[in-house]
């Protein structure tokens, strides 16, 4: 895999960064704490997500921001792609909000799916990536200090041998599972054999034949009882037929007798009704006499003769009176409408007069308030003119400030920016020199302590003549030079701070001038507007006073007109009272006419009712004659029916019916009992036949279990053979890898180690590492000096990387080789050997090597140089591409 481009937003100290990578060696250089390693952590995070971070995902987000974004473009084995991860912080907790991997052929979304895709693509997870391609700061001795078993697990996992062990364990689990199933089948087979032996087929067949014979006997009995039941049913039907015939005649006789009694009762009842009708006729005649007397009384007050008095005359007279009353009512309504209109006009006039008076009062009050406001505005206008003179005086004083200043009011802000940038440059240089002085001082102290001790505290060898001791004078001179530079830079910083303070004062003065100009313009505009407003107020006061006088005069006119309308209202009320009296007289006469009409109608109704009662009495006489004829016919039918009803035959039929019913009830119980016995026998027969079927099923199951047992035994042997095959293949591949890794480790260590004290390195089958001195004495890697252990670890890491890159059967695509601060434990002499190691790895075909270091000497190995700086003010880091020294040297040559 080759990294092509890395983009960051709000990731650790980087607010925003865009880095392009190229094939070859890329050195990321900067002071300690500048954020160099954070770039590699961002690339590692893009590949594997949160599992690639040492801390929590919250720590990856820049402090004070709400999220972070990382994007990594890459090429791998002919495929190009890009991974984008976006983190969002909510309620103090960071979560992955978006994770997408896009390649030429597909798009993968989701943090888990992307991580699994990258793991499959590189054939290593995050932990394997650390152990192989990513030598992180502080982990230089990780593989050396690991136990042999841990080292074996790490290397087996990197070389994919863990897969074979996983397959062997799966085969072992499968073998155990097959064995358990085989044992279960043998147990089931044994149980089936026991069940077959316990079953007696002969005894079951005998029992089945006996039950079948009993069922046949029960069927014969049931057939006989059913024939007897059928005969009883026929007898029952015949008895019912006789009883129904006699019952019908006896019921008809009873109906005839009942109808005779009913006819006699109706004849008597109708005779009584004729007597009541005669009484009602007499009553109606009496009422007619009284109504005629009342008619005469009502006619006495009306202008009409007795010949004219009928319902038609009464109706015509009532219509005439209603017309007169309606005319009076309409006249009263019109007068009332007029009175209401005049009264409403009066009220409206009085209301309008009050409104005009109130409006006149408001106008006078508003004019008085405006007069007061005008006086206050005039005083305020005079104050603002005085403030304008004060502003002019202050502006002249401020302009005098810029007469001898290094900048004008217009350029003061630009001048302050220049002074601030100069101060920032001095402080950045000062921070770099302080870091260099700290590093040089620590190195000088370490060299003095080493010289005073006389021997290396780790390996015990003499230090006389070593590079650290020989360079003490040079380091002392370097410290003195750095201290002198620091003193000069601090003086410059003091001067830049004074210039910045002066620039700040000028900026404040310029800003105040702008404020005064703005205030002057505002006040002049206000003065102009307020003067115009005062003139407008004077005109408004005069108009309000004139309007108040006009409204007062109009109100007096309205009140005079309202008094005239009140007099007219009184006249109309008198007219309305006269018309109402006339209407009352007409209403009384109308009531008498209507009462007369009612009496005339009652008389006509009673005369008609008397005639109707006479006709009804005659009809009832005719009805009784018809009923007497019907009575004679019914008496003859009663005698005929009494002759044909036979009580003895009825009694005989009832006896036959009762005996038949009793037998049917008894035979139903017997048949039910037979059915129950038959059902019981059928159940026994079914159980016996089921036992016979179960016996046959057991024999078939035994054959099936025997076949399955033989197949499981064969499968067990096959799985056991597969387990042995995986174990042997893993051991063979491990031996091949150990041999190749040991050879590559010796080649690499020999390349980077300039001393000839050691002859070879051995890696045995238990993954134990042993270093042999030239005299043949073995040493554990822990006994090497600090620098030697660092070189040994780098050699081991590079050898592992070469082994994985070359593979067993040819080259395999690998991720970039990443070295994070590899010079931490190296002295100056071994840094050059590290550069040779980097060049050798490049010549061996490693496409891309990324090195993070603050060491200036290591920059010489770079094909591409990235410099990282941190702003001490904002604590934010930036990265930029710088020309590598290698290219500068080639260009010079």
């Amino acid at each position: 895999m080759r990294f092509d481009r890395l983009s960051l937003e709000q990731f650790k100290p980087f607010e925003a960064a865009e880095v392009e990578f190229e094939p070859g060696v890329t050195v990321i250089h900067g002071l300690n704490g500048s954020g160099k390693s954070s770039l590699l952590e961002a690339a590692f995070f893009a590949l594997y997500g949160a599992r690639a971070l040492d801390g929590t995902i919250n720590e990856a987000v820049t402090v004070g921001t709400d999220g972070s974004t990382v994007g990594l473009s890459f090429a791998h084995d002919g495929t190009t792609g890009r991974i984008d991860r976006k983190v969002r912080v909510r309620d103090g907790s960071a979560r992955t909000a978006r994770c997408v991997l896009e390649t030429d052929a597909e798009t993968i979304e989701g943090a888990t799916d992307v991580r699994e895709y990258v793991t499959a693509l590189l054939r290593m997870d995050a932990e394997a990536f650390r152990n192989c391609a990513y030598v992180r700061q502080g982990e230089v001795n990780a593989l050396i200090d690991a136990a042999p078993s841990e080292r074996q697990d790490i290397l087996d996992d990197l070389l994919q041998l863990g897969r074979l062990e996983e397959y062997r364990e799966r085969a072992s689990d499968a073998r155990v599972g097959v064995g358990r199933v085989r044992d279960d089948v043998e147990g089931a087979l044994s149980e089936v054999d026991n069940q077959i032996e316990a079953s007696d087929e002969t005894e079951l067949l005998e029992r089945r034949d006996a039950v079948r014979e009993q069922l046949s006997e029960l069927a014969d009995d049931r057939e006989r009882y059913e024939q007897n039941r059928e005969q009883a049913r026929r007898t029952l039907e015949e008895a019912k037929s006789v009883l129904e015939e006699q019952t019908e005649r006896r019921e008809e006789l009873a109906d005839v007798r009942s109808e005779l009694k009913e006819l006699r009762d109706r004849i008597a009842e109708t005779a009584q009704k004729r007597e009541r009708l005669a009484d009602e006729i007499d009553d109606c005649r009496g009422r007619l006499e009284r109504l005629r007397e009342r008619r005469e009384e009502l006619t006495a007050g009306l202008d009409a003769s007795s010949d004219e008095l009928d319902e038609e005359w009464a109706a015509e007279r009532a219509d005439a009176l209603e017309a007169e009353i309606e005319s009076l009512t309409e006249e009263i309504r019109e007068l009332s409408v007029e009175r209401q209109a005049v009264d409403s006009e009066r009220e409206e006039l009085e209301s309008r007069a009050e409104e005009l008076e109130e409006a006149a009062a408001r106008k006078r009050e508003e004019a008085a308030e405006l007069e007061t406001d005008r006086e206050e505005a005039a005083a305020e206008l005079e104050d603002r003119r005085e403030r304008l003179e004060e502003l002019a005086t202050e502006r002249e004083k401020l302009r005098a400030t810029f007469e001898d200043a290094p900048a004008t009011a217009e350029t003061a802000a630009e001048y302050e920016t220049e002074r601030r940038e100069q101060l920032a440059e001095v402080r950045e240089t000062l921070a770099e020199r302080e870091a260099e002085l700290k590093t040089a001082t620590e190195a000088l102290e370490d060299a003095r302590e080493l010289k005073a001790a006389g021997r290396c505290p780790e390996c015990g060898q003499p230090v006389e003549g070593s590079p650290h001791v020989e360079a003490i004078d040079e380091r002392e001179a370097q410290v003195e030079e750095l201290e002198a530079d620091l003193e000069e830079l601090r003086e410059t910083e003091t001067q830049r701070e004074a210039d910045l303070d002066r620039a700040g004062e000028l900026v404040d003065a310029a800003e105040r001038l702008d404020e005064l100009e703005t205030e002057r313009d505002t006040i002049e505009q206000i003065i102009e507007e307020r003067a115009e407003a005062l003139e407008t107020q004077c005109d408004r006061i005069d108009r309000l006073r004139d309007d108040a006088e006009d409204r007062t005069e109009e109100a007096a006119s309205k009140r005079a007109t309202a008094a005239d309308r009140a007099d007219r209202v009184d006249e109309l009320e008198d007219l309305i009272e006269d018309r109402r009296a006339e209407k009352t007289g007409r209403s009384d006469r109308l009531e008498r006419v209507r009462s007369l009409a009612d009496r005339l109608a009652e008389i006509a109704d009673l005369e008609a009712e008397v005639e109707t009662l006479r006709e009804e009495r005659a009809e009832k006489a005719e009805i009784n004659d018809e009923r007497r004829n019907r009575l004679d016919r019914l008496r003859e039918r009663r005698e005929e029916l009494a002759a044909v009803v036979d009580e003895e035959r009825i009694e005989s039929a009832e006896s036959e019916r009762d005996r038949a019913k009793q037998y049917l009830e008894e035979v139903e119980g017997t048949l039910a009992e037979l059915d129950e016995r038959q059902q019981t026998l059928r159940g026994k027969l079914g159980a016996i036949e089921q036992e016979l079927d179960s016996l046959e099923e057991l024999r078939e199951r035994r054959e099936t279990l025997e076949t399955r047992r033989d197949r499981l035994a064969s499968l067990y042997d096959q799985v056991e053979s597969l387990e042995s095959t995986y174990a042997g293949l893993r051991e063979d591949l491990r031996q091949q890898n150990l041999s190749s890794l040991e050879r590559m480790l010796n080649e690499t260590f020999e390349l980077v180690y300039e001393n000839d004290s050691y002859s070879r390195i051995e890696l045995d089958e238990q993954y134990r590492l042993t270093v042999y001195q030239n005299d043949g004495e073995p040493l554990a890697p822990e006994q090497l000096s600090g620098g030697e252990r660092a070189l040994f670890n780098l050699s081991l890491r590079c050898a592992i990387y070469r082994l994985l890159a070359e593979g067993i059967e040819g080259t395999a695509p690998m991720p970039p080789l990443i070295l994070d601060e590899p010079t931490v434990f190296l002295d100056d002499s071994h840094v050059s050997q590290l550069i040779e190691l980097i060049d050798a790895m490049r010549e061996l075909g490693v496409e891309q090597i990324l090195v993070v270091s603050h060491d200036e000497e290591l920059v010489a190995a770079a094909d591409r140089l990235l410099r990282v700086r941190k702003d001490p003010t904002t604590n934010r880091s930036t990265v930029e591409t710088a020309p590598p020294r290698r290219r500068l040297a080639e260009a010079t040559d």
Side-chain angles (χ1 to χ4, degrees), residues 372-604:
T372 303
D373 293 342
R374 187 191 66 76
E375 294 174 357
E376 293 176 354
E380 181 184 357
L381 186 61
E382 188 62 28
D383 293 339
R384 291 188 181 277
R385 288 184 176 129
E386 293 177 359
R387 175 59 181 163
L388 199 60
E389 294 177 359
E390 294 174 359
L391 292 176
T393 302
E394 186 177 357
R395 283 170 48 237
E396 292 301 325
K397 291 181 181 179
L398 288 173
R399 289 191 179 279
T401 305
F402 290 94
E403 292 180 357
D404 298 329
T408 64
E410 291 76 12
T411 61
E414 182 179 353
Y415 176 72
E416 183 193 28
T417 302
E418 292 175 356
R419 300 287 80 76
R420 191 179 301 280
E421 291 177 352
Q422 290 176 359
L423 178 60
E425 291 176 359
V426 170
R427 286 175 174 172
E428 183 178 358
T429 305
L430 182 62
E432 292 177 355
R433 292 297 180 274
E434 287 175 345
E436 292 175 2
L437 177 60
K438 180 179 178 182
T439 302
T441 302
E442 291 175 353
L444 178 60
E445 292 298 327
D446 292 343
R448 286 173 176 171
E449 291 176 1
L450 188 61
K451 181 178 180 181
R455 290 183 176 275
C456 176
E458 295 183 358
C459 63
Q461 296 179 1
V463 299
E464 189 66 30
S466 67
H468 287 291
V469 176
E470 292 297 328
I472 288 179
D473 294 337
E474 181 181 348
R475 294 185 186 279
E476 289 176 346
Q478 182 183 5
V479 169
E480 291 176 359
E481 181 180 353
L482 289 172
E483 289 175 345
D485 290 346
L486 281 174
E487 185 63 28
E488 182 179 351
L489 286 170
R490 291 191 179 99
E491 293 177 357
T492 304
E493 180 184 19
T494 302
Q495 181 60 39
R496 293 289 184 268
E497 290 175 348
D499 293 343
L500 181 60
D501 293 340
R502 174 58 176 159
E505 295 173 356
L506 293 176
V507 169
D508 294 340
E511 292 176 351
R512 179 56 182 164
L513 271 175
D514 291 340
E515 293 174 359
L516 292 175
E517 292 287 345
T518 302
E519 187 177 358
R520 181 197 65 183
D521 295 342
T522 303
I523 291 176
E524 288 178 349
Q525 183 178 359
I526 291 174
I527 290 173
E528 183 179 354
E529 293 174 352
R530 294 296 170 81
E532 294 177 358
L534 284 175
E535 294 179 4
T536 303
Q537 279 185 330
C538 291
D539 295 340
R540 173 67 175 161
I541 290 170
D542 293 339
R543 286 197 301 273
L544 288 171
R545 287 171 177 167
D546 295 341
D547 195 8
E549 292 299 326
D550 293 341
R551 291 175 186 273
T552 301
E553 294 175 359
E554 185 180 357
S557 174
K558 298 289 184 185
R559 288 197 179 279
T561 303
D564 294 339
R565 296 295 182 271
D567 294 339
R568 177 58 181 164
V569 169
D570 293 339
E571 294 176 2
L572 290 172
E573 287 179 349
D574 293 340
L575 286 174
I576 290 170
E577 288 299 324
D578 293 342
R579 297 300 180 272
R580 284 175 176 168
E582 293 180 14
K583 180 180 177 182
T584 300
R586 297 292 192 282
S587 297
D588 292 341
R589 295 185 66 186
L590 177 61
E591 185 63 29
R592 291 184 65 190
V593 171
R594 284 176 176 170
S595 178
L596 176 61
D598 292 340
R599 300 291 87 73
L600 292 174
E602 288 179 8
I603 290 170

Side-chain angles (χ1 to χ4, degrees), residues 243-279:
L243 288 173
E244 286 176 1
E245 179 185 356
Q246 291 295 317
T247 300
E248 288 176 1
R249 291 177 179 178
R250 188 161 54 182
E251 288 175 355
E252 185 181 358
L253 179 60
D255 292 338
V256 169
R257 289 171 177 169
S258 175
E259 188 175 355
L260 284 170
K261 181 179 181 302
E262 184 179 353
L263 279 172
R264 287 194 291 268
D265 293 340
R266 286 182 180 178
I267 290 171
E269 182 181 355
T270 302
Q272 293 176 0
K273 287 183 178 179
R274 290 184 74 250
E275 293 177 1
R276 286 197 299 273
L277 287 171
D279 295 339

